[in-house]
């Protein structure tokens, strides 16, 4: 079992990433950090606690991160996830309490508890991780692996023409994180793997894939369609499949409205899968810096592939989407089946 610490701004695709990790037999999720991003951090905490309740993991500690970015208030939440971050999905309530320490401290505690073993996964803005690095500068040497969903490498943005959402929400935090891995060589220090839009936009969820997932879960379902009335709720017999379909329907509608077609890119689930098996993607070393002052380019991940400088990251450049979705269905489908139908 690999100890895994997850930092999320849950979010439809963050939720799917968490489900993937919880369904993976080789992963032991030892903590979940909540970060401001797709929605405000209070809502992220509520979503994380509800997901753990739904998935039967009530004992995983959930921590609350900063309500703001390193430089101030959060921008308007993302529209493609809905006002509560989970689209049309309803999560069960939870009476569990958050940890009495914040998410930056949670990063440090997990890394110190599992030195050289901990796999870190960050699928939201990097505020918590930047604050953790300020508290414990040795964090890069304590982690076995770090996978970040963020940035866009020789590829357009999704928030501005050049900037990806997670990085653009808190560019200063992203810059601090990448700097922590810059200009240093240490035998126990692995460079972070960056899964950017150039990679994750090739992994597109379709209604047909959701139907395959429901079938493996042994659930009744109806194929989602662009022609369905907006807000149509899932009739799936399985509780987890129902949440997945209600969440992803909203996500599919948002992607369609943004001109991508009736598909949804699996940014965060891909990062979760890579965290457990880096061999899923082809990577290239590079030196990445985050633009902080450009009038048009703030939040851009400026990438130097020349290797004239010491690289500070491995950039994901290629993936087999079919192989990823096969793995997602093979894990989450039986997991949903074990959780069972509605009582």
């Amino acid at each position: 079992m690999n100890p895994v610490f997850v930092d999320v701004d849950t979010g439809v695709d963050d939720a799917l990433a968490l489900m993937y990790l919880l369904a993976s037999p080789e992963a032991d999720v030892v903590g979940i950090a909540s970060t401001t991003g797709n929605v405000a951090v209070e809502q992220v905490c509520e979503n994380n606690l509800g997901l753990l309740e739904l998935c039967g993991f009530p004992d995983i500690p959930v921590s609350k991160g900063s309500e703001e970015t390193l430089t101030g208030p959060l921008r308007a939440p993302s529209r493609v996830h809905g006002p509560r971050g989970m689209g049309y999905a309803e999560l069960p309530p939870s009476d569990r309490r958050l940890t009495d320490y914040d998410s930056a401290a949670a990063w440090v505690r997990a890394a110190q508890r599992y030195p050289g073993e901990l796999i870190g996964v960050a699928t939201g803005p990097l505020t918590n991780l930047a604050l953790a690095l300020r508290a414990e500068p040795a964090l890069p040497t304590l982690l076995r692996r770090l996978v970040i969903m963020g940035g866009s490498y020789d590829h357009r943005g999704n928030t501005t023409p050049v900037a990806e959402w997670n990085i653009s929400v808190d560019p200063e935090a992203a810059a601090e994180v990448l700097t922590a891995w810059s200009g240093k060589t240490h035998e126990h220090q692995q460079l972070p793997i960056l899964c950017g839009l150039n990679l994750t936009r090739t992994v597109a969820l379709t209604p047909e894939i959701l139907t395959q997932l429901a079938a493996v879960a042994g659930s009744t379902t109806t194929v989602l369609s662009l022609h369905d009335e907006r807000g149509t709720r899932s009739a799936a017999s399985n509780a987890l499949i129902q949440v997945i379909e209600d969440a992803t329907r909203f996500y599919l509608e948002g992607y369609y409205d943004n001109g991508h077609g009736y598909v949804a890119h699996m940014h965060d689930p891909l990062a979760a899968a890579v965290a457990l098996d880096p061999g899923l993607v082809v990577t290239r070393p590079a030196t990445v810096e985050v633009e902080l002052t450009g009038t048009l380019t703030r939040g851009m991940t400026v990438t130097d592939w020349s290797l004239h400088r010491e690289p500070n990251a491995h950039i994901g450049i290629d993936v087999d989407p079919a192989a990823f979705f096969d793995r997602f269905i093979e894990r989450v489908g039986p997991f949903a089946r074990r959780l069972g139908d509605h009582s």
Side-chain angles (χ1 to χ4, degrees), residues 20 52 83-84 102 105 111 119 124 148 161 204 216-217 226 254 256 278 321 337 340:
Y20 183 94
L52 291 177
R84 293 182 298 166
D102 67 15
I119 298 172
I148 294 170
V216 173
L226 171 62
Y256 179 80
R337 183 189 285 267

Side-chain angles (χ1 to χ4, degrees), residues 178-256:
L178 289 171
T179 298
W181 272 266
S182 297
K184 301 174 185 175
T185 55
H186 189 289
E187 61 177 336
H188 299 303
Q189 182 169 319
Q190 301 296 320
L191 296 181
I193 299 171
L194 306 183
C195 297
L197 297 178
N198 54 296
L199 185 75
T200 60
R201 275 179 164 152
T202 68
V203 182
L205 181 75
T206 63
E208 291 72 26
I209 292 170
L210 288 171
T211 302
Q212 294 173 37
L213 176 64
V216 173
S219 176
T220 61
T221 188
T222 305
V223 180
L224 277 64
S225 169
L226 171 62
H227 305 294
D228 293 339
E229 182 179 350
R230 292 285 172 107
T232 299
R233 300 297 296 276
S234 169
S237 58
N238 181 278
L240 189 65
I241 296 299
Q242 184 182 77
V243 165
I244 291 171
E245 291 182 352
D246 282 341
T248 54
R249 181 186 290 279
F250 190 97
Y251 207 41
L252 289 162
E253 291 171 358
Y255 269 77
Y256 179 80

Side-chain angles (χ1 to χ4, degrees), residues 2 9 13 24 38-39 74 76 87 96 167 226 232 251 278 280 290:
N2 300 294
D9 60 338
D13 58 331
S24 295
N38 288 322
V39 287
L74 174 69
R96 286 190 52 230
I167 304 297
L226 171 62
T232 299
Y251 207 41
L280 275 174
V290 180

Side-chain angles (χ1 to χ4, degrees), residues 78-137:
S78 170
R79 288 178 295 177
V80 298
H81 298 271
R84 293 182 298 166
M86 288 294 295
Y88 299 120
E90 300 280 351
L91 292 172
S94 171
D95 57 5
R96 286 190 52 230
R97 299 173 63 87
L98 300 169
T99 61
D100 57 5
Y101 48 88
D102 67 15
S103 289
W107 267 105
V108 175
R109 284 176 177 231
Q112 290 176 341
R113 184 178 177 188
Y114 301 98
E117 298 179 61
L118 188 68
I119 298 172
V121 188
T123 64
L126 296 174
T127 314
N128 293 332
L129 183 51
L131 293 171
L133 285 159
R134 290 180 183 182
E136 177 49 277

Side-chain angles (χ1 to χ4, degrees), residues 49-66:
L49 291 172
L51 274 168
L52 291 177
E53 195 74 29
L54 176 70
C55 293
F57 285 84
D59 297 327
I60 295 174
V62 176
S63 57
K64 179 184 173 184
S66 172

